[in-house]
Amino acid sequence: KTGTLTKGVFEVTGVHGNTIPDEELLFYAAHAEMASSHPIAKSIQNAYGKEIDRSKVENIEETSGHGITATVDGKSVAIGNSKLMKKIGLAVPACDDLGTVIHIALDNVYSGHLVISDVIKETSRDAIANLKKLGVEKTVMLTGDAKNVADRVAEILGLSEVHSELLP
């Protein structure tokens, strides 16, 4: 699991507003994610950096493995992975940034995305190398992370195989 090999300290490393300014995108994202204790949600709230006005948020619904929908300041907000965007009928643009891409739609219009990155633990590379020294021939990572992120972590650590974008 990626989270076993990384610090689990997520940080917003990219804000890419499509139809709205970046700061406004962060406003809607942070407010929609306000009730979640997930580390990615917390990183979005930290990136927003302001107090979240809970009175602006209603109808929060979380779909495991997809994301969150909510009403924020009167707008319908969908925030999550590409599976959520597909579910609501929206196409997502490609993003070359390394990290987990979190897509945001406002009133069913694709509005932009955030890139969230994690840091590999200093001990992970040595742990995998030691397993190989002990005779473990195949190391496999199973993760819900996006393919590009999972592939990069597997490459850095020298894992034999990776299966990404899995549901819980």
Side-chain angles (χ1 to χ4, degrees):
K1 185 172 181 327
T2 310
T4 304
L5 303 170
T6 60
K7 291 183 177 182
V9 179
F10 296 96
E11 186 175 294
V12 174
T13 55
V15 180
H16 305 280
N18 191 35
T19 58
I20 60 174
D22 293 354
E23 184 61 30
E24 192 175 342
L25 190 70
L26 268 175
F27 166 84
Y28 286 106
H31 280 75
E33 294 278 4
M34 73 166 208
S36 178
S37 60
H38 191 281
I40 287 178
K42 293 297 178 193
S43 72
I44 292 169
Q45 294 163 17
N46 289 340
Y48 177 59
K50 299 175 186 163
E51 190 169 333
I52 294 173
D53 184 349
R54 295 177 180 275
S55 70
K56 293 183 179 279
V57 185
E58 35 186 25
N59 307 319
I60 298 172
E61 288 185 37
E62 185 170 357
T63 304
S64 182
H66 288 75
I68 291 176
T69 56
T71 303
V72 178
D73 209 17
K75 289 188 184 264
S76 170
V77 178
I79 177 169
N81 59 26
S82 58
K83 293 172 191 165
L84 177 63
M85 294 298 117
K86 183 177 181 180
K87 184 177 177 182
I88 63 173
L90 297 178
V92 298
C95 179
D96 293 330
D97 291 2
L98 184 61
T100 299
V101 178
I102 306 297
H103 302 282
I104 300 129
L106 301 176
D107 290 335
N108 213 37
V109 174
Y110 186 81
S111 301
H113 61 274
L114 307 175
V115 180
I116 314 290
S117 299
D118 194 357
V119 178
I120 295 173
K121 290 178 186 171
E122 296 83 9
T123 56
S124 294
R125 189 174 287 125
D126 288 342
I128 299 300
N130 288 336
L131 286 171
K132 289 180 179 182
K133 284 179 190 172
L134 291 170
V136 175
E137 295 176 15
K138 186 174 184 179
T139 52
V140 180
M141 180 173 68
L142 306 174
T143 181
D145 281 347
K147 182 173 177 13
N148 68 330
V149 174
D151 288 348
R152 181 71 178 131
V153 170
E155 178 185 329
I156 289 168
L157 296 176
L159 301 174
S160 310
E161 194 175 312
V162 63
H163 297 273
S164 57
E165 300 180 10
L166 302 174
L167 292 175

